[in-house]
Amino acid sequence: TGYTFTKCEKAYLDVERGVNAFKRKIKIGVYSIIEKSLYRHCDGGVVSSIEDKLYIEKNYGIEEQKIIVVPNYIDTNIFQRNKNVKKNNRVIFVGRLNSIKNLKNTIAGVANEGKGLDIYGEGPLKNELEQFACQNGYDVCFKGVVGNKELPSILNKYDYYVLVSITEGMPKSLLEAMACGVVCIGSDIPGIREVIEDGIDGIISKGLESSDITVAVHKAVILENKEQIRENAVNKINCFYSLNVIFDNESKIELKLIEEFPKKFNDSCLFR
């Protein structure tokens, strides 16, 4: 799985109340039964983050060796840094416009550092966020959805990328931004802190409030080793999150299952 459904759904309970929260709790209960059954009966499970692996082992009593971590991948032949593109000195966000992305605090936090924010994506909060930005006089442009093939050239135009979400699995948009050499600012949560090492290949916001985001953006702006941060981010993606690397890892898992299959097949009740 790219993310564990119940783990992500539980995060919504921090921002929802009333009927919506009650309905989500029912959904979580149903899917917990499904997830538990699937992981107990499968030969192996592949998840995209260490935190998802730990969550499954703890909540469903699954043995450690059964769950394998294979991160999300990106095509580094497409998503790569172009040093010849002139930067526009704005901040970019790419993703769905929902409550989990913590966008009101992000908008205010970026604005309070005196930076403009360009938001790429659609979602249920778009109108509300547009009104919020307009009422407060924040410099925010809503760019809508763009094709994945257009994204590398867009990312290369920006100095900074921000994703200070409440929860994430393994965000591909973060991997894509790092691959393009954008200085990335993320929240201190599972899925993001597994990718960004603070001060080495990106910046981690110590909290989720707008004031925390302002501090993190300011830290990114005044970095003296900004070029090294960019290079470290690109190198990390090429070494650990490229399509070729992940393909090799998944191939090894499939070969192992194939090798184990004859014994399990012969030992099954079909031939007793």
Side-chain angles (χ1 to χ4, degrees), residues 32-49:
S32 293
I33 296 170
I34 295 170
E35 286 178 353
K36 183 176 182 178
S37 177
L38 288 171
Y39 283 112
R40 285 199 169 183
H41 290 91
C42 70
D43 293 307
V46 177
V47 296
S48 64
S49 72

Side-chain angles (χ1 to χ4, degrees), residues 251-265:
S251 295
K252 290 174 184 176
I253 295 168
E254 290 167 3
L255 286 172
K256 183 180 178 183
L257 289 175
I258 291 170
E259 289 170 0
E260 293 176 352
F261 179 74
K263 182 180 182 303
K264 291 185 177 183
F265 189 71

Side-chain angles (χ1 to χ4, degrees), residues 97 117-118 250:
L97 312 188
L117 176 65
D118 291 344
E250 291 201 348

Side-chain angles (χ1 to χ4, degrees), residues 17-271:
R17 298 291 183 270
V19 175
N20 288 337
F22 178 72
K23 289 180 179 178
R24 199 171 296 277
K25 286 179 182 178
I26 294 175
K27 186 190 292 187
I28 290 169
V30 172
Y31 275 89
S32 293
I33 296 170
I34 295 170
E35 286 178 353
K36 183 176 182 178
S37 177
L38 288 171
Y39 283 112
R40 285 199 169 183
H41 290 91
C42 70
D43 293 307
V46 177
V47 296
S48 64
S49 72
I50 295 170
E51 292 287 345
D52 277 19
K53 172 181 169 67
L54 296 174
Y55 173 90
I56 291 162
E57 291 168 0
K58 178 181 177 181
N59 285 275
Y60 303 135
I62 308 300
E63 53 270 30
E64 181 182 348
Q65 65 274 15
K66 197 172 188 179
I67 309 299
I68 302 163
V69 178
V70 177
N72 281 335
Y73 69 86
I74 62 166
D75 189 344
T76 51
N77 292 320
I78 298 174
F79 288 91
Q80 55 183 258
R81 187 179 180 189
N82 185 347
K83 296 182 180 180
N84 296 321
V85 175
K86 184 178 180 180
K87 304 291 185 181
N88 62 21
N89 202 34
R90 293 174 66 83
V91 180
I92 183 174
F93 165 88
V94 181
R96 185 159 171 76
L97 312 188
N98 58 26
S99 55
I100 285 300
K101 300 300 183 181
N102 193 31
L103 283 167
K104 281 190 177 180
N105 282 333
T106 298
I107 290 170
V110 171
N112 290 335
E113 178 52 25
K115 289 289 183 183
L117 176 65
D118 291 344
I119 294 178
Y120 288 81
E122 295 286 346
L125 293 185
K126 182 179 180 181
N127 291 338
E128 183 179 333
L129 292 171
E130 285 178 330
Q131 291 176 5
F132 174 74
C134 182
Q135 289 169 357
N136 289 280
Y138 295 142
D139 179 8
V140 183
C141 294
F142 291 85
K143 302 286 191 175
V145 176
V146 296
N148 198 247
K149 290 183 178 179
E150 300 172 60
L151 203 49
S153 61
I154 291 172
L155 286 167
N156 270 285
K157 295 176 183 177
Y158 289 84
D159 265 326
Y160 312 101
Y161 165 97
V162 64
L163 184 67
V164 191
S165 305
I166 296 170
T167 184
E168 288 286 349
M170 176 64 67
K172 293 195 77 167
S173 68
L174 171 61
L175 303 180
E176 292 165 350
M178 290 176 71
C180 292
V182 188
V183 176
C184 293
I185 302 154
S187 42
D188 189 12
I189 60 168
I192 290 181
R193 62 173 173 244
E194 284 181 42
V195 181
I196 294 179
E197 189 174 355
D198 188 35
I200 303 298
D201 46 37
I203 300 296
I204 291 291
S205 174
K206 302 307 180 184
L208 298 172
E209 298 301 322
S210 61
S211 57
D212 301 312
I213 298 170
T214 299
V215 170
V217 175
H218 180 70
K219 185 177 178 181
V221 170
I222 65 171
L223 279 171
E224 294 182 358
N225 62 332
K226 197 173 296 182
E227 181 60 26
Q228 190 60 57
I229 295 278
R230 297 182 194 278
E231 289 298 321
N232 290 345
V234 172
N235 290 336
K236 175 177 276 188
I237 299 303
N238 287 333
C239 289
F240 299 106
Y241 301 97
S242 69
L243 175 57
N244 290 337
V245 171
I246 302 304
F247 177 81
D248 288 342
N249 290 341
E250 291 201 348
S251 295
K252 290 174 184 176
I253 295 168
E254 290 167 3
L255 286 172
K256 183 180 178 183
L257 289 175
I258 291 170
E259 289 170 0
E260 293 176 352
F261 179 74
K263 182 180 182 303
K264 291 185 177 183
F265 189 71
N266 291 329
D267 289 349
S268 71
C269 60
L270 291 172
F271 292 92

